[in-house]
Amino acid sequence: MSQPERRRHFLKAGSIAAAAGLVGNWMRSDAAAQAPARTSHPPVRDEYDGFSRFKPSRGNDPDSDYYLGKMIPGFRSTADGPAPLEAPDLERLPWKMVRGAKEFHLVPMAVEREFLPGYKMNVYGFNGSMPGPTIEVTQGDRVRIVVTNELPEQTTTHWHGFELPVQYDGSETLTQNPIEPGASFVYEFDVHEEGTYFYHSHVPMQEAFGSVGWFIVHPKKVFDPPVDRDFGLIFQNFFIDSNQNIADSWQMDWNWHTINGRSGPYTTPLVVKHGERVRVRIMDFSPMQHHPVHLHGHTFWVTGHEGARIPKSAWVPRNTELIGIAQATDFEFIANNPGDWMFHCHMVHHMMNHMTRQVGPRIRQDSSVDSYLANLASRPAVDAVRTDPGFATPGYPQEMKSMKMPEAMMKTIWNRREVQGMRATWPMSVMGLMTTLRVLPDDLYHRVMETDAEIPPGSIFEEIVNRFGNPADYQPAKMGGMPGMKM
Amino acid sequence: MKRSFARSKLLAAVVLVVGGTHASAQDLSIRQDSMGNSAGRHVLPPRDLPPLPEMPSGFIDNDLAAADSSPHAIASYTLDELLCLAAANNPTIRQARLQIGGETAKALQAGLYPNPVLMYVGEKINSDGTAGEFQGFEVQQRFVTAHKLQLSRLKYCQRARVSEHLAVAQQFRVSNDIQRHFYQVLAAMERVNLQSELLKTAEDGSVTSRELYNQGQTNLPGIHRANVELQQRRLALLNAQNEFAEAFRQLTSIVGCTLPMGRVEGSLRPDETIPSFETVYAGLIQDSPEVLAARAKLVADQTTLQRESVQWVPDIVVTGGPGYNFTNNDPVYNAAVQMELPIYDRNQGTILQARRDLQRQQAEIHRVELQLRERLAMAYRMYATALQHATEYERVIIPEREVAYRELLEGYRDNRVDWPDVLHAQGEYFAARLQQVDQFRDVRIQEVMIDGFLLEGGLMAAKGPTPPGHIDAVAKPR
Ligand SMILES: [Cu+2]
């Protein structure tokens, strides 16, 4: 049985097939929950010129429009309008139509952001959030943004990339007087662009302190091929000292990394349905670090940057895309390979939340920090004769030992629907600038995302292995057996 | 290392060859295994890390080593026990008591009435061929006038009182020294403990530097540096142990008898603070044995002046007795009365000397008072500084160091801090506690000095009542 066939078989047998509203050739009526009223649209196919939307494949011809899924449409129709942006862990900024313009209210302010459960960090943001809430408009809209400064210091807001009248550019002192604490400034302009934009404070240290947010402009004419999913991820770096929760914007080094204001494994996975066309917009708002962003299990097309969508003739297929500071890149791909896929910056030091040298009790046998904490007046003696045979190898240990995650933190991480059914040990591997792309068959997607069913760790992943992999070779994760956990 | 390894491998091969044809390929592989060179597995050569330095071994204080080896049988002493032992055994306390006895004996002697003189007298022998005009016994008695003897006795009695004050001072000298050395020993014990903690930290630092080396995060100079720090900490611990031995031996010297080396039991933390400088000083002026002795000496010197003032009053010497006149052949009597006429020597020089001596003693009282003030100023300053430090170390600095250390430990547990940072904070915490021990010790020592009339020198010979300038220049004390 081919994979799509197996999949169909499953869905027919599954009790949730009806709920998924499947018809014939997987044309779907509920492609995006947020979608407006649907209209009928031409059916999409499983396979185009050798490329399958349901299994890893390349297509028959690199010059084909369908090579690597280049022009393969999603289930959603262009007539349904653009898929709304999903920026995990961020809110959308509401607006009201006032005097012919979409009026937004944006408040620069000091905020507390929980990078990891229990790690509440002090940064700057907008409207209680870091990054700020997402502004989402359509090409051709007139926008009015009332910025009210609740910071204790002056600020201005810059609309990054927009070709607007200069007086609204938000460059402090060059184009406007700074907005005093407590004061407001109204920015108003027509948006003729489409694409991936953002807003940020134009005070450099405020930028380094987190003052940024998405400004997404959907095209008037929906891009072809249409996507089912449109994700937005803002990558940032901060330096926050040990036992500190105030970011130090003066540092030239970074030890905390966030995607939409959260560090792995607290970043929220991008959960999609098997076969969907997915767009991911990634923007690097780190003070000084570029990020080579790598997606596992798929090859994506680079379809746009923050300036504009790229003409199809110039799209580039990649696995890793280097995203520079203040740059954004749009990826598109067909999610044809089910599983939990890593999606991360490839800089080694960005794949951790904060690095410490692997020396001291955590790498010593029969030694633990708790015994030091139990009696501060007298410290335990050390065994100067180190017996760990690993030390016969120069460089040992390289694996970060004893990454500890307290019970409460694990609970919060596991409590989200998006991670249900992942392998029990997944939080140990997703750190720093890392998240996951979860490609789930419809029934599993439904179980994870649209029910309250209790889903044991590993169960969804095992099901995917059973359907698409080689179950005989599969070993489940050891429950609670986090490698290197000692202290 | 590589070369010697190769050599032993060669040796093994030779053994096999000599062993004859029975050696199989399997034997060879076993032998290679025993050298850690199992087939197909790459073995890395050992690295040339400098070894940890050996323990300091050049000189060892055997008593300390003995006390160390039998920690359970170790003796322990309280301050009260030590003070009792010192009262019985310190020789200077007995000396001081004997000084009082000596002065009392002088007083006895000075007040004794002069003995009569018995003479046989033969006068004008051979007058008219006789045996003499007078042959007989005479008795001579000096009659002391002007209460000279009473005054002399009074003077020495008053000097005995000076000796009594000086004996009290000597007791304070001994008791103060016992207490000071007691606190020195107590502090030394805590210093040894804390130096042991710091040594453990240095040992950890040395292990840590090896771990860092293995990860390419320090180099050989880093290892050498850690070795040096380790050895310096070992020496610091030895130094603390030697200080303990010194303090204990000094303590037993003041006690006056040998005691087996051991612990002392007590607290370095003072119970209460002393009053203001002027209050303490007023107490000193009133009660210091040194001041009391000087005042008593003034009284004695007044008596000396009185005594010397009557020295010129002539004693009357009466002589007389029965005899026989061989010229006239009849019993006769002789009688004479003798008296010095104070025409030239009215003892005026000595009186003047006594007067000057009295005035000198008046100044001496003032001098002692001022010297006490001077000594108190220093003791008070040292006390105040030490107490201020000890209090703030207790109240702020040690707790802050402790919290910093704990927070770094917690940070390390949460993978947010490097271990060398924790070690650094640990060292600072122990070092601050070490400083605090010294501060409390200084508080205690100055407290003892201020409470004990600033007297020290528990093995100084006990002082006598007469400083230079005294008038005792006759065989019979006067
Ligand atoms: Cu990166």
Side-chain angles (χ1 to χ4, degrees), chain A residues 352-374:
Chain A
M352 292 156 219
N353 291 326
H354 35 78
M355 300 233 308
T356 50
R357 294 198 164 88
Q358 294 299 291
V359 295
R362 79 164 57 100
I363 60 165
R364 294 176 192 161
Q365 290 177 349
D366 306 320
S367 177
S368 109
V369 178
D370 293 335
S371 61
Y372 287 76
L373 282 164

PDB file of all heavy atoms in Angstrom, chain A residues 352-374:
ATOM      1  N   MET A 352      21.115  26.635  22.175  1.00  0.00           N
ATOM      2  CA  MET A 352      21.062  26.463  23.623  1.00  0.00           C
ATOM      3  C   MET A 352      20.528  27.750  24.223  1.00  0.00           C
ATOM      4  O   MET A 352      20.621  28.799  23.614  1.00  0.00           O
ATOM      5  CB  MET A 352      22.452  26.200  24.171  1.00  0.00           C
ATOM      6  CG  MET A 352      23.025  24.873  23.744  1.00  0.00           C
ATOM      7  SD  MET A 352      24.776  24.904  23.816  1.00  0.00           S
ATOM      8  CE  MET A 352      25.159  23.974  22.353  1.00  0.00           C
ATOM      9  N   ASN A 353      20.048  27.648  25.425  1.00  0.00           N
ATOM     10  CA  ASN A 353      19.495  28.847  26.028  1.00  0.00           C
ATOM     11  C   ASN A 353      20.562  29.700  26.691  1.00  0.00           C
ATOM     12  O   ASN A 353      20.505  30.902  26.656  1.00  0.00           O
ATOM     13  CB  ASN A 353      18.416  28.470  27.035  1.00  0.00           C
ATOM     14  CG  ASN A 353      17.214  27.902  26.318  1.00  0.00           C
ATOM     15  OD1 ASN A 353      16.903  28.331  25.204  1.00  0.00           O
ATOM     16  ND2 ASN A 353      16.566  26.934  26.901  1.00  0.00           N
ATOM     17  N   HIS A 354      21.530  29.062  27.316  1.00  0.00           N
ATOM     18  CA  HIS A 354      22.607  29.796  27.969  1.00  0.00           C
ATOM     19  C   HIS A 354      23.677  28.765  28.203  1.00  0.00           C
ATOM     20  O   HIS A 354      23.435  27.703  28.727  1.00  0.00           O
ATOM     21  CB  HIS A 354      22.158  30.416  29.293  1.00  0.00           C
ATOM     22  CG  HIS A 354      21.178  29.573  30.037  1.00  0.00           C
ATOM     23  ND1 HIS A 354      21.547  28.475  30.757  1.00  0.00           N
ATOM     24  CD2 HIS A 354      19.836  29.643  30.114  1.00  0.00           C
ATOM     25  CE1 HIS A 354      20.465  27.918  31.268  1.00  0.00           C
ATOM     26  NE2 HIS A 354      19.418  28.587  30.891  1.00  0.00           N
ATOM     27  N   MET A 355      24.875  29.075  27.765  1.00  0.00           N
ATOM     28  CA  MET A 355      25.920  28.065  27.824  1.00  0.00           C
ATOM     29  C   MET A 355      26.763  28.253  29.063  1.00  0.00           C
ATOM     30  O   MET A 355      27.116  29.372  29.430  1.00  0.00           O
ATOM     31  CB  MET A 355      26.824  28.198  26.610  1.00  0.00           C
ATOM     32  CG  MET A 355      26.085  28.009  25.322  1.00  0.00           C
ATOM     33  SD  MET A 355      26.856  26.778  24.307  1.00  0.00           S
ATOM     34  CE  MET A 355      28.528  27.346  24.264  1.00  0.00           C
ATOM     35  N   THR A 356      27.085  27.154  29.720  1.00  0.00           N
ATOM     36  CA  THR A 356      28.053  27.206  30.803  1.00  0.00           C
ATOM     37  C   THR A 356      29.097  26.142  30.540  1.00  0.00           C
ATOM     38  O   THR A 356      28.838  25.163  29.866  1.00  0.00           O
ATOM     39  CB  THR A 356      27.390  26.950  32.161  1.00  0.00           C
ATOM     40  OG1 THR A 356      26.600  25.769  32.060  1.00  0.00           O
ATOM     41  CG2 THR A 356      26.528  28.119  32.573  1.00  0.00           C
ATOM     42  N   ARG A 357      30.283  26.378  31.102  1.00  0.00           N
ATOM     43  CA  ARG A 357      31.368  25.411  30.908  1.00  0.00           C
ATOM     44  C   ARG A 357      31.014  24.101  31.602  1.00  0.00           C
ATOM     45  O   ARG A 357      30.500  24.109  32.719  1.00  0.00           O
ATOM     46  CB  ARG A 357      32.670  25.966  31.481  1.00  0.00           C
ATOM     47  CG  ARG A 357      33.157  27.172  30.720  1.00  0.00           C
ATOM     48  CD  ARG A 357      34.624  27.433  30.996  1.00  0.00           C
ATOM     49  NE  ARG A 357      35.152  28.347  29.991  1.00  0.00           N
ATOM     50  CZ  ARG A 357      35.108  29.669  30.121  1.00  0.00           C
ATOM     51  NH1 ARG A 357      34.587  30.195  31.195  1.00  0.00           N
ATOM     52  NH2 ARG A 357      35.590  30.452  29.179  1.00  0.00           N
ATOM     53  N   GLN A 358      31.349  23.028  30.943  1.00  0.00           N
ATOM     54  CA  GLN A 358      31.013  21.718  31.499  1.00  0.00           C
ATOM     55  C   GLN A 358      32.108  21.254  32.452  1.00  0.00           C
ATOM     56  O   GLN A 358      32.822  20.293  32.190  1.00  0.00           O
ATOM     57  CB  GLN A 358      30.815  20.727  30.352  1.00  0.00           C
ATOM     58  CG  GLN A 358      29.605  21.063  29.511  1.00  0.00           C
ATOM     59  CD  GLN A 358      28.324  21.021  30.309  1.00  0.00           C
ATOM     60  OE1 GLN A 358      27.882  19.974  30.733  1.00  0.00           O
ATOM     61  NE2 GLN A 358      27.732  22.180  30.566  1.00  0.00           N
ATOM     62  N   VAL A 359      32.227  21.992  33.554  1.00  0.00           N
ATOM     63  CA  VAL A 359      33.177  21.585  34.595  1.00  0.00           C
ATOM     64  C   VAL A 359      32.471  21.701  35.928  1.00  0.00           C
ATOM     65  O   VAL A 359      31.422  22.330  36.037  1.00  0.00           O
ATOM     66  CB  VAL A 359      34.454  22.466  34.594  1.00  0.00           C
ATOM     67  CG1 VAL A 359      35.233  22.280  33.313  1.00  0.00           C
ATOM     68  CG2 VAL A 359      34.103  23.935  34.804  1.00  0.00           C
ATOM     69  N   GLY A 360      33.068  21.076  36.931  1.00  0.00           N
ATOM     70  CA  GLY A 360      32.479  21.139  38.268  1.00  0.00           C
ATOM     71  C   GLY A 360      31.646  19.908  38.572  1.00  0.00           C
ATOM     72  O   GLY A 360      31.700  18.907  37.847  1.00  0.00           O
ATOM     73  N   PRO A 361      30.851  19.983  39.644  1.00  0.00           N
ATOM     74  CA  PRO A 361      30.133  18.792  40.119  1.00  0.00           C
ATOM     75  C   PRO A 361      29.315  18.083  39.045  1.00  0.00           C
ATOM     76  O   PRO A 361      29.185  16.874  39.094  1.00  0.00           O
ATOM     77  CB  PRO A 361      29.207  19.362  41.202  1.00  0.00           C
ATOM     78  CG  PRO A 361      29.884  20.583  41.663  1.00  0.00           C
ATOM     79  CD  PRO A 361      30.620  21.145  40.482  1.00  0.00           C
ATOM     80  N   ARG A 362      28.779  18.835  38.086  1.00  0.00           N
ATOM     81  CA  ARG A 362      27.856  18.159  37.169  1.00  0.00           C
ATOM     82  C   ARG A 362      28.540  17.108  36.310  1.00  0.00           C
ATOM     83  O   ARG A 362      27.877  16.227  35.788  1.00  0.00           O
ATOM     84  CB  ARG A 362      27.119  19.173  36.297  1.00  0.00           C
ATOM     85  CG  ARG A 362      27.877  19.732  35.138  1.00  0.00           C
ATOM     86  CD  ARG A 362      26.911  20.406  34.166  1.00  0.00           C
ATOM     87  NE  ARG A 362      26.149  21.442  34.833  1.00  0.00           N
ATOM     88  CZ  ARG A 362      26.433  22.732  34.755  1.00  0.00           C
ATOM     89  NH1 ARG A 362      27.448  23.146  34.051  1.00  0.00           N
ATOM     90  NH2 ARG A 362      25.711  23.612  35.402  1.00  0.00           N
ATOM     91  N   ILE A 363      29.868  17.192  36.176  1.00  0.00           N
ATOM     92  CA  ILE A 363      30.521  16.140  35.397  1.00  0.00           C
ATOM     93  C   ILE A 363      31.327  15.211  36.302  1.00  0.00           C
ATOM     94  O   ILE A 363      32.077  14.381  35.825  1.00  0.00           O
ATOM     95  CB  ILE A 363      31.444  16.727  34.308  1.00  0.00           C
ATOM     96  CG1 ILE A 363      32.546  17.582  34.932  1.00  0.00           C
ATOM     97  CG2 ILE A 363      30.657  17.529  33.303  1.00  0.00           C
ATOM     98  CD1 ILE A 363      33.671  17.879  33.946  1.00  0.00           C
ATOM     99  N   ARG A 364      31.162  15.372  37.622  1.00  0.00           N
ATOM    100  CA  ARG A 364      31.945  14.525  38.529  1.00  0.00           C
ATOM    101  C   ARG A 364      31.073  13.401  39.072  1.00  0.00           C
ATOM    102  O   ARG A 364      29.898  13.605  39.335  1.00  0.00           O
ATOM    103  CB  ARG A 364      32.494  15.355  39.698  1.00  0.00           C
ATOM    104  CG  ARG A 364      33.511  16.371  39.224  1.00  0.00           C
ATOM    105  CD  ARG A 364      33.982  17.267  40.335  1.00  0.00           C
ATOM    106  NE  ARG A 364      34.739  18.383  39.758  1.00  0.00           N
ATOM    107  CZ  ARG A 364      34.981  19.515  40.398  1.00  0.00           C
ATOM    108  NH1 ARG A 364      34.541  19.693  41.639  1.00  0.00           N
ATOM    109  NH2 ARG A 364      35.665  20.479  39.807  1.00  0.00           N
ATOM    110  N   GLN A 365      31.704  12.275  39.254  1.00  0.00           N
ATOM    111  CA  GLN A 365      30.933  11.142  39.761  1.00  0.00           C
ATOM    112  C   GLN A 365      30.594  11.375  41.229  1.00  0.00           C
ATOM    113  O   GLN A 365      31.396  11.899  41.992  1.00  0.00           O
ATOM    114  CB  GLN A 365      31.753   9.858  39.611  1.00  0.00           C
ATOM    115  CG  GLN A 365      31.886   9.478  38.136  1.00  0.00           C
ATOM    116  CD  GLN A 365      32.743   8.255  37.923  1.00  0.00           C
ATOM    117  OE1 GLN A 365      33.412   7.790  38.833  1.00  0.00           O
ATOM    118  NE2 GLN A 365      32.725   7.740  36.703  1.00  0.00           N
ATOM    119  N   ASP A 366      29.420  10.932  41.613  1.00  0.00           N
ATOM    120  CA  ASP A 366      28.950  11.012  43.007  1.00  0.00           C
ATOM    121  C   ASP A 366      29.056  12.426  43.548  1.00  0.00           C
ATOM    122  O   ASP A 366      29.437  12.628  44.695  1.00  0.00           O
ATOM    123  CB  ASP A 366      29.749  10.070  43.915  1.00  0.00           C
ATOM    124  CG  ASP A 366      29.721   8.657  43.373  1.00  0.00           C
ATOM    125  OD1 ASP A 366      28.650   8.250  42.890  1.00  0.00           O
ATOM    126  OD2 ASP A 366      30.764   7.987  43.415  1.00  0.00           O
ATOM    127  N   SER A 367      28.792  13.396  42.730  1.00  0.00           N
ATOM    128  CA  SER A 367      28.894  14.770  43.195  1.00  0.00           C
ATOM    129  C   SER A 367      27.658  15.516  42.714  1.00  0.00           C
ATOM    130  O   SER A 367      27.192  15.291  41.605  1.00  0.00           O
ATOM    131  CB  SER A 367      30.164  15.400  42.612  1.00  0.00           C
ATOM    132  OG  SER A 367      30.234  16.738  43.003  1.00  0.00           O
ATOM    133  N   SER A 368      27.133  16.369  43.572  1.00  0.00           N
ATOM    134  CA  SER A 368      25.984  17.151  43.126  1.00  0.00           C
ATOM    135  C   SER A 368      25.957  18.485  43.840  1.00  0.00           C
ATOM    136  O   SER A 368      26.477  18.631  44.941  1.00  0.00           O
ATOM    137  CB  SER A 368      24.691  16.375  43.385  1.00  0.00           C
ATOM    138  OG  SER A 368      23.969  16.971  44.416  1.00  0.00           O
ATOM    139  N   VAL A 369      25.381  19.471  43.177  1.00  0.00           N
ATOM    140  CA  VAL A 369      25.326  20.811  43.763  1.00  0.00           C
ATOM    141  C   VAL A 369      24.463  20.819  45.021  1.00  0.00           C
ATOM    142  O   VAL A 369      24.679  21.623  45.930  1.00  0.00           O
ATOM    143  CB  VAL A 369      24.773  21.810  42.732  1.00  0.00           C
ATOM    144  CG1 VAL A 369      24.654  23.186  43.336  1.00  0.00           C
ATOM    145  CG2 VAL A 369      25.667  21.859  41.538  1.00  0.00           C
ATOM    146  N   ASP A 370      23.509  19.911  45.081  1.00  0.00           N
ATOM    147  CA  ASP A 370      22.630  19.897  46.252  1.00  0.00           C
ATOM    148  C   ASP A 370      23.421  19.694  47.539  1.00  0.00           C
ATOM    149  O   ASP A 370      23.089  20.257  48.573  1.00  0.00           O
ATOM    150  CB  ASP A 370      21.578  18.792  46.103  1.00  0.00           C
ATOM    151  CG  ASP A 370      20.610  19.120  44.963  1.00  0.00           C
ATOM    152  OD1 ASP A 370      20.461  20.322  44.662  1.00  0.00           O
ATOM    153  OD2 ASP A 370      20.040  18.190  44.381  1.00  0.00           O
ATOM    154  N   SER A 371      24.473  18.881  47.464  1.00  0.00           N
ATOM    155  CA  SER A 371      25.255  18.662  48.680  1.00  0.00           C
ATOM    156  C   SER A 371      25.999  19.938  49.079  1.00  0.00           C
ATOM    157  O   SER A 371      26.273  20.160  50.248  1.00  0.00           O
ATOM    158  CB  SER A 371      26.236  17.504  48.484  1.00  0.00           C
ATOM    159  OG  SER A 371      27.136  17.808  47.448  1.00  0.00           O
ATOM    160  N   TYR A 372      26.305  20.790  48.115  1.00  0.00           N
ATOM    161  CA  TYR A 372      26.911  22.087  48.444  1.00  0.00           C
ATOM    162  C   TYR A 372      25.862  22.992  49.086  1.00  0.00           C
ATOM    163  O   TYR A 372      26.127  23.689  50.051  1.00  0.00           O
ATOM    164  CB  TYR A 372      27.464  22.768  47.190  1.00  0.00           C
ATOM    165  CG  TYR A 372      28.724  22.142  46.660  1.00  0.00           C
ATOM    166  CD1 TYR A 372      28.675  20.936  45.957  1.00  0.00           C
ATOM    167  CD2 TYR A 372      29.956  22.738  46.863  1.00  0.00           C
ATOM    168  CE1 TYR A 372      29.830  20.358  45.474  1.00  0.00           C
ATOM    169  CE2 TYR A 372      31.113  22.158  46.379  1.00  0.00           C
ATOM    170  CZ  TYR A 372      31.042  20.974  45.682  1.00  0.00           C
ATOM    171  OH  TYR A 372      32.187  20.406  45.206  1.00  0.00           O
ATOM    172  N   LEU A 373      24.674  22.964  48.512  1.00  0.00           N
ATOM    173  CA  LEU A 373      23.617  23.847  49.005  1.00  0.00           C
ATOM    174  C   LEU A 373      23.134  23.420  50.390  1.00  0.00           C
ATOM    175  O   LEU A 373      22.649  24.233  51.171  1.00  0.00           O
ATOM    176  CB  LEU A 373      22.445  23.849  48.021  1.00  0.00           C
ATOM    177  CG  LEU A 373      22.666  24.721  46.782  1.00  0.00           C
ATOM    178  CD1 LEU A 373      21.676  24.375  45.697  1.00  0.00           C
ATOM    179  CD2 LEU A 373      22.561  26.194  47.150  1.00  0.00           C
ATOM    180  N   ALA A 374      23.285  22.122  50.692  1.00  0.00           N
ATOM    181  CA  ALA A 374      22.781  21.626  51.974  1.00  0.00           C
ATOM    182  C   ALA A 374      23.536  22.246  53.144  1.00  0.00           C
ATOM    183  O   ALA A 374      22.984  22.413  54.222  1.00  0.00           O
ATOM    184  CB  ALA A 374      22.891  20.108  52.014  1.00  0.00           C
TER     185      ALA A 374
END
